[in-house]
Amino acid sequence: MSKISRDEVAHLAGLARLAVTEQELDTFAGQLDVILESVARVGEVAAGDIPPTSHAVPVTNVFRDDVVRPSLPREAALDGAPAAEDNRFRVPRILSEEA
Protein backbone atom coordinates (compact mmCIF):
# COMPACT_ATOMS: atom_id res chain seq x y z
CA MET A 1 0.00 0.00 0.00
CA SER A 2 1.34 3.38 -1.00
CA LYS A 3 2.02 5.78 1.88
CA ILE A 4 1.85 8.77 -0.45
CA SER A 5 -1.11 9.07 -2.78
CA ARG A 6 -1.19 10.10 -6.40
CA ASP A 7 -3.19 13.18 -5.32
CA GLU A 8 -0.41 14.17 -2.91
CA VAL A 9 2.19 13.71 -5.66
CA ALA A 10 0.04 15.82 -8.01
CA HIS A 11 -0.25 18.48 -5.30
CA LEU A 12 3.53 18.51 -4.74
CA ALA A 13 4.10 18.70 -8.50
CA GLY A 14 1.75 21.66 -8.66
CA LEU A 15 3.59 23.43 -5.85
CA ALA A 16 6.87 22.82 -7.68
CA ARG A 17 5.26 23.95 -10.95
CA LEU A 18 6.05 20.64 -12.63
CA ALA A 19 3.91 19.22 -15.40
CA VAL A 20 3.66 15.46 -14.83
CA THR A 21 1.80 12.77 -16.72
CA GLU A 22 -0.55 10.21 -15.16
CA GLN A 23 2.14 7.54 -15.55
CA GLU A 24 4.71 9.79 -13.84
CA LEU A 25 2.33 10.26 -10.89
CA ASP A 26 2.38 6.50 -10.30
CA THR A 27 6.15 6.31 -10.77
CA PHE A 28 6.86 9.24 -8.46
CA ALA A 29 4.48 7.94 -5.78
CA GLY A 30 6.45 4.68 -5.69
CA GLN A 31 9.79 6.46 -5.64
CA LEU A 32 8.70 8.82 -2.87
CA ASP A 33 7.50 5.83 -0.83
CA VAL A 34 10.99 4.30 -1.05
CA ILE A 35 12.54 7.60 0.05
CA LEU A 36 10.12 8.00 2.97
CA GLU A 37 10.72 4.40 4.11
CA SER A 38 14.50 4.93 3.95
CA VAL A 39 14.27 8.08 6.05
CA ALA A 40 12.06 6.27 8.56
CA ARG A 41 14.63 3.46 8.84
CA VAL A 42 17.39 5.97 9.55
CA GLY A 43 15.21 7.45 12.29
CA GLU A 44 14.80 4.01 13.86
CA VAL A 45 18.56 3.44 13.99
CA ALA A 46 19.34 6.73 15.72
CA ALA A 47 19.79 6.04 19.41
CA GLY A 48 19.35 8.49 22.27
CA ASP A 49 22.85 7.88 23.61
CA ILE A 50 24.55 8.84 20.31
CA PRO A 51 25.18 12.58 20.00
CA PRO A 52 24.01 14.21 16.76
CA THR A 53 26.78 15.10 14.33
CA SER A 54 27.00 17.18 11.18
CA HIS A 55 29.96 15.29 9.70
CA ALA A 56 31.18 11.70 9.90
CA VAL A 57 34.77 12.81 10.50
CA PRO A 58 36.12 15.86 12.35
CA VAL A 59 36.28 18.97 10.21
CA THR A 60 38.84 21.73 10.72
CA ASN A 61 38.93 25.21 9.28
CA VAL A 62 41.53 25.47 6.52
CA PHE A 63 41.20 29.21 6.04
CA ARG A 64 43.92 31.61 7.09
CA ASP A 65 43.41 33.97 10.01
CA ASP A 66 41.95 37.36 9.15
CA VAL A 67 44.58 40.07 9.33
CA VAL A 68 43.66 43.74 9.20
CA ARG A 69 45.75 45.60 6.65
CA PRO A 70 45.36 48.72 4.51
CA SER A 71 43.13 48.38 1.47
CA LEU A 72 43.10 50.09 -1.89
CA PRO A 73 41.95 53.72 -1.55
CA ARG A 74 38.46 54.36 -2.93
CA GLU A 75 39.73 56.82 -5.53
CA ALA A 76 42.25 54.30 -6.87
CA ALA A 77 39.59 51.59 -7.13
CA LEU A 78 37.13 53.89 -8.90
CA ASP A 79 39.84 55.11 -11.31
CA GLY A 80 39.89 51.62 -12.83
CA ALA A 81 36.10 51.38 -13.14
CA PRO A 82 34.46 51.70 -16.55
CA ALA A 83 31.82 53.95 -14.91
CA ALA A 84 31.49 55.52 -11.45
CA GLU A 85 28.81 57.64 -9.80
CA ASP A 86 28.52 59.07 -6.25
CA ASN A 87 31.75 57.35 -5.13
CA ARG A 88 30.40 53.96 -6.25
CA PHE A 89 30.78 51.64 -9.22
CA ARG A 90 28.04 52.24 -11.79
CA VAL A 91 26.69 49.05 -13.32
CA PRO A 92 23.91 48.51 -15.87
CA ARG A 93 20.47 47.63 -14.51
CA ILE A 94 19.70 43.95 -15.06
CA LEU A 95 16.35 43.65 -13.23
CA SER A 96 13.14 45.47 -13.95
CA GLU A 97 11.44 47.63 -11.37
CA GLU A 98 8.87 44.84 -10.81
CA ALA A 99 11.46 42.43 -9.37
Side-chain angles (χ1 to χ4, degrees):
M1 180 72 182
S2 177
K3 291 181 183 164
I4 186 166
S5 70
R6 293 175 83 252
D7 289 338
E8 290 172 317
V9 174
H11 178 71
L12 290 172
L15 291 174
R17 299 175 192 245
L18 299 173
V20 295
T21 65
E22 293 296 317
Q23 181 181 358
E24 288 173 327
L25 288 175
D26 292 328
T27 302
F28 295 155
Q31 291 173 343
L32 288 170
D33 276 341
V34 171
I35 292 169
L36 292 174
E37 288 171 9
S38 298
V39 170
R41 270 187 261 139
V42 169
E44 292 170 4
V45 173
D49 58 338
I50 300 173
T53 59
S54 61
H55 295 80
V57 296
V59 178
T60 57
N61 188 350
V62 295
F63 298 113
R64 63 175 165 73
D65 290 334
D66 286 336
V67 177
V68 178
R69 58 182 187 205
S71 64
L72 187 64
R74 181 183 308 163
E75 295 78 21
L78 291 174
D79 283 344
E85 183 177 297
D86 296 329
N87 288 321
R88 291 180 266 178
F89 293 101
R90 178 162 174 73
V91 296
R93 180 181 303 267
I94 58 170
L95 300 175
S96 67
E97 292 292 328
E98 298 172 7

